[in-house]
Amino acid sequence: MLEAVHVHEHTHEEHLLPALQTVAPQIQNEVQEVSVQYTGQSEQQAIDEIEASPEFQSAGTDAVNRGVREFVPLAEADHTSGEAARRVHAFVAPMINGICEYAVTNGWTQQIPCEVCPTPTPTPTPTPTPTPTPVPTPSPPTANDATNVTGSGFTVNWSSVNGATGYRLDVSTSSSFTSYVSGYQNLDVGNVTSRNVSGLSANTTYYYRLRAYNTGGTSGSSNVIRVKTRSH
């Protein structure tokens, strides 16, 4: 195998050396054109100034880019259908075929394709599982006026929202909902459009709002409804 590598790299050398001899003078000229003004500095100081100059950096970048443009296509061609690939194949193929003949004769499990071994059966490509379409978050519901108002409770009402699978209810004595009536903070009331609220104080003002939800998320809050319980 080491000899195969030597064959391969020697072919690269034969192929790439003429290209290097073509571009080398161009690269050398560009670098030699970079200079700095002599102000009494030492030779090393002048070299340091040249290497730090934008012109020198640009010449270096151009040299690299020119090398890439000249050599990479040649090297890639050698590795596919070029002379290096043909020489290595001619040298290595008999070795591989000899190994495969021995493997077939002795019942080894095939590991690599070759001219002696049968073509392996391709592994079927699994069918990808389709990605489920995301469920959009529902819109906020519209809260409606309370009904069945008594001294200790009332019925909250709201309009249904398309795509919602349930609703959450807030009840508070504060219009800004800085506090909540016990048991009525983000209460999941299910997929309905009304809910009885009980255990409240008489002659007291309350506020309620709702949010719709589904597997895609929870909506923003609805409008706020104000309701005052009756006196006893």
Side-chain angles (χ1 to χ4, degrees), residues 135-139 161-167 212-219:
V135 177
T137 301
S139 302
V161 174
N162 185 36
T165 57
Y167 300 87
Y213 68 84
N214 59 19
T215 56
T218 302
S219 74

Side-chain angles (χ1 to χ4, degrees), residues 19-101:
L20 176 60
Q21 291 171 338
T22 299
V23 300
Q26 303 172 17
I27 295 173
Q28 186 176 14
N29 289 338
E30 287 188 9
V31 173
Q32 288 180 343
E33 288 177 358
V34 180
S35 63
V36 294
Q37 184 177 1
Y38 178 66
T39 58
Q41 68 270 49
S42 66
E43 179 180 351
Q44 185 59 50
Q45 289 173 331
I47 292 174
D48 292 342
E49 290 181 23
I50 289 175
E51 291 181 347
S53 67
E55 294 82 1
F56 184 85
Q57 301 297 326
S58 176
T61 300
D62 290 344
V64 172
N65 292 337
R66 182 178 289 109
V68 170
R69 290 195 301 270
E70 293 289 339
F71 302 140
V72 170
L74 297 177
E76 288 179 344
D78 279 348
H79 285 127
T80 53
S81 60
E83 182 63 19
R86 287 192 294 272
R87 290 187 185 182
V88 170
H89 179 75
F91 187 87
V92 175
M95 298 169 53
I96 296 177
N97 289 338
I99 295 171
C100 286
E101 288 177 355

